[in-house]
Structure formats: C-alpha cells, structure tokens
Amino acid sequence: MSRLMEPLSVGRVIGEVVDNFIPSVKLNVTYNSNKQVSNGHELMPAVITAKPRVEIGGEDMRAAYTLVMTDPDAPSPSDAYLREHLHWIVTDIPGTTDASFGREIVSYETPKPAIGIHRYVFILFKQRARHSVRPPASRDHFNTRSFAEENGLGLPVAAVYFNAQRETACRKR
Amino acid sequence: MACASTSASATWNMSSLRSAIPPIHARSASSVHLSTGPSSSRLKFSSSKLLHSFVGLAPLHPLLSLSSPDSTSFEHCFTVIDNGGRFFAMRHGKRVPKLNRPPDQRRALLRALTTQLLKHGRIKTTRARASAMRKYVDKMVTLAKDGSLHKRRQALGFIYEKEIVHALFAEVEERYGDRNGGYTRIIRTLPRRGDNAPMAYIELV
C-alpha cells in the first residue's frame, strides 16, 4: 500500500489535492492508445490534446465512480493563485468499464501549461448513488476536497498524475 | 608585585569593610565617614591596580600577537582556519560539486538555475545539478526572509532578473514564514533519452 502511495505523497498530490487514502480500485489512464500515465512521468502537450482512455477496476458494474482531472499548479507552480484548475469530470462510470460509459458533466479541456511544469491529477471517487454529482460553478479555484464533501464522495479510491510543460520550453539544448 | 598589591589590598579591604558596615550607633557615623574617606580612595586605587593586573593577562593587541607565529599573516588581519598550508593530489573529503565546469562557469550555471527555479517554481534538470542547487536556493530564500536593504542588494547580485528578487522578497513572508530551511524538494524521474542522464524535478516546497 505505501509503495503505491509514495510517488503521490512525494509529488504532494496527497497533501495539496487530496488527503491520504488507501487505493482500492485499479485506475489505468492511456493517451493515444500507447502513452500510459505513470506517477510523475512527463507527457508532451501534443499527446494530451484529446481525452484519454480511462479504464477502472472495481468489483461489479453496479457501483458508480466519478473521475476528476485537475491541475493544482494553475497558472504557475511558483505562484498558484488559481489553485486547482478543473479539466474534466465524468460521473456514473460503471465499475470494471471505462470512462466512455460515464456521463461527462464537465467536458475535457486540453491542458495548456503556460509557465513552468504542471502536475495533472486524475482522481477516482466511488459514488454512493447514481446522479448524485453536480458540476461546479467554474473551472478555476476548484477544490477537490470540498467537491468531494459537497457530493458525498468521501476519500478517493485511486489517483494518478503526470507532468507537462510547454512544448517550446527546452528547445535551447 | 601583583601579589603584594593583593595582600595589601586584602588588609585594607578588611578594615574598609568593617568601616563600611552600617553603624548601629549614630555617634560612630562621623568616625565611619572619616575612616572611609581615605580608605575608600586607597581601596579604589588597589582595586584599579587589581583591574590593571587583570587586563594585563589578556592579549594587548591582536595584530602584534599574530605577527609572531606565521609569515603568511602579513596580508590577513584575522585568524584564517586553513588546512595548515598542506595540499593533496587527491580530492578526498572535498564536498564541492564541480559539475564538470571551471569555477566561473559553475557559478554562472548555479545562478541561472536558481533564477529559473524561482521564476518557474519547478524545473527539470539532472540530479547532480538539482542537488547542487539546493544550497543556493535556500540561501536566496534566507536572504529574502531577512528582508533588509543590504540583503536585497546581495540577492540582486546573485539572481539575474531583478523582478524575481522583488517578487521573492514580497512573498517569502507568507510562503516560508513558518518553515525553517529546506525550501526545495527533489523528485527523481526517468533518465533523459539522448544521453541517459538521470533527471530530477526540483521544486519550491
């Protein structure tokens, strides 16, 4: 358990975005059918323009899950005054399927990291009942913890994050 | 001479002490005053003699005391803690990271890296550079925590962009007011594709 949580707590996903939790459901996020998201690895902005394929585990298809994608380093990691910019919410995902079977209440927004290196976090919550999650008012100043509290989602069941920066950032070398 | 003065002052001290004790009878007060007059002056003289003897034990002048042992201390006016003028062919025990560069380029690289880290908040670089940078980033944050003009000018002499220095001095109070040291975090990541160099993210905590 702790081996899986180490990159999440070292990268301060646990701490800034969510609280410490025990992962119980498998979460598999893949961009462009070959680029899998692993904790702390970096993806190019060209790859993440389209929404990824998110496969979740779980025991049965009756349980509903909610997937939230946020950027805790908006607009810049050194001065994140828009802390947590919301990119995507999909609810009512049946267990053991993928996100295309869910209902997208906040549409996927292509990440555009303008300044610095941003973390993009996928968090999976287990819903108590279907149709219980409401979209938030705006994408900026999003708070994952308060969102989970408002919609009765409790602690997350899975999380993964990747890094991304502007395409032209390292062209000097 | 010192002992003689102490013994003399010892005898004088006892008598002056006895006379200095507040008198019970009123009529002996005048005699006390008379006796304390000359004895107090003599006490002062002996105590000053005592003080002079005390001072004489301390080194009179640091410059004069230093000029005797070493011929190299002509240029320095203060003690220099060195390895005693020994030099070795090996690098044993020297903990300065050289980063494969001569000293001037090394300093320029570290200045550039700390400027960029303070500007962007998180940068990706090689592990050796990231761990070499920590000291200088912590130094800059410590200067900003002090906040005086002198420290600001010292920071301006190190960081390449002055807007970053001013922004750092403005916001360090709220960000790092409670934290004592350790203002950076290093996260190791995958090696670079071109040369398999071990990479790391370094970010401001």
Side-chain angles (χ1 to χ4, degrees):
Chain A
M1 179 208 45
S2 59
R3 291 290 316 260
L4 286 170
M5 290 294 99
E6 258 177 47
L8 285 176
S9 51
V10 166
R12 298 316 298 158
V13 168
I14 294 177
E16 284 175 14
V17 183
V18 292
D19 296 316
N20 206 344
F21 65 94
I22 302 168
S24 49
V25 175
K26 247 180 343 98
L27 179 62
N28 208 338
V29 183
T30 316
Y31 275 99
N32 265 359
S33 79
N34 61 346
K35 294 268 189 293
Q36 192 184 349
V37 169
S38 318
N39 274 325
H41 291 180
E42 188 161 334
L43 293 174
M44 303 305 291
V47 165
I48 55 179
T49 43
K51 69 171 81 159
R53 185 181 150 80
V54 181
E55 290 153 20
I56 61 177
E59 290 92 32
D60 55 34
M61 298 191 60
R62 286 167 298 171
Y65 293 92
T66 302
L67 177 78
V68 177
M69 176 180 174
T70 63
D71 171 15
D73 301 320
S76 151
S78 60
D79 186 23
Y81 54 86
L82 293 175
R83 169 137 279 167
E84 284 192 53
H85 185 83
L86 179 65
H87 280 277
W88 199 27
I89 300 185
V90 187
T91 52
D92 300 335
I93 308 172
T96 73
T97 59
D98 66 58
S100 54
F101 291 88
R103 199 165 46 95
E104 195 179 14
I105 56 176
V106 176
S107 56
Y108 183 77
E109 184 189 348
T110 307
K112 280 197 179 19
I115 308 173
I117 303 176
H118 292 228
R119 299 166 284 172
Y120 293 99
V121 189
F122 291 94
I123 310 168
L124 192 70
F125 294 98
K126 184 167 181 167
Q127 286 170 234
R128 303 233 180 95
R130 308 186 73 92
H131 302 286
S132 62
V133 180
R134 281 171 291 108
S138 81
R139 286 184 186 252
D140 283 331
H141 296 289
F142 182 73
N143 194 320
T144 313
R145 287 189 181 102
S146 56
F147 175 77
E149 263 189 55
E150 280 166 24
N151 295 288
L153 296 170
L155 285 178
V157 294
V160 76
Y161 82 101
F162 67 93
N163 289 322
Q165 59 181 316
R166 224 176 46 162
E167 188 74 60
T168 56
C170 316
R171 219 202 280 155
K172 281 183 209 161
R173 297 275 158 147
Chain B
M1 187 188 81
C3 342
S5 64
T6 45
S7 55
S9 56
T11 53
W12 270 118
N13 272 339
M14 287 309 298
S15 57
S16 56
L17 265 177
R18 242 182 262 120
S19 54
I21 291 170
I24 309 160
H25 313 288
R27 56 183 173 83
S28 56
S30 54
S31 60
V32 164
H33 282 296
L34 280 169
S35 54
T36 45
S39 63
S40 59
S41 60
R42 248 170 263 182
L43 174 62
K44 273 189 226 149
F45 190 70
S46 54
S47 56
S48 56
K49 260 202 200 164
L50 263 174
L51 284 172
H52 274 181
S53 66
F54 239 90
V55 166
L57 292 170
L60 288 166
H61 206 247
L63 274 176
L64 294 174
S65 65
L66 269 180
S67 61
S68 34
D70 233 18
S71 59
T72 60
S73 58
F74 260 92
E75 292 86 22
H76 318 293
C77 292
F78 42 86
T79 51
V80 175
I81 300 170
D82 207 358
N83 65 350
R86 301 189 290 273
F87 50 91
F88 297 111
M90 299 152 278
R91 200 196 59 87
H92 288 184
K94 296 186 188 164
R95 295 166 64 174
V96 170
K98 287 209 204 154
L99 301 175
N100 292 327
R101 276 167 171 77
D104 51 344
Q105 288 187 32
R106 193 187 313 151
R107 184 173 141 83
L109 171 67
L110 288 166
R111 283 174 71 180
L113 281 171
T114 57
T115 306
Q116 293 296 308
L117 176 63
L118 292 172
K119 180 172 174 183
H120 291 110
R122 182 182 293 129
I123 60 173
K124 182 172 168 183
T125 171
T126 65
R127 275 184 215 169
R129 290 179 197 171
S131 78
M133 260 171 80
R134 290 176 295 176
K135 171 178 166 186
Y136 295 93
V137 176
D138 286 353
K139 255 196 177 138
M140 287 298 115
V141 176
T142 310
L143 287 181
K145 268 192 167 180
D146 186 291
S148 63
L149 174 64
H150 179 54
K151 300 284 188 272
R152 189 182 288 258
R153 286 192 172 156
Q154 281 183 317
L156 284 166
F158 189 84
I159 305 277
Y160 281 127
E161 293 171 35
K162 65 177 190 178
E163 294 89 9
I164 295 174
V165 172
H166 297 317
L168 177 68
F169 272 68
E171 65 168 36
V172 80
E173 170 74 39
E174 31 151 312
R175 270 188 90 164
Y176 299 121
D178 302 330
R179 196 178 283 268
N180 290 331
Y183 307 111
T184 59
R185 174 182 299 128
I186 295 187
I187 304 174
R188 294 174 297 189
T189 180
L190 290 174
R192 185 158 58 187
R193 183 175 170 257
D195 54 0
N196 205 33
M199 301 297 276
Y201 288 107
I202 177 167
E203 60 185 27
L204 293 171
V205 144

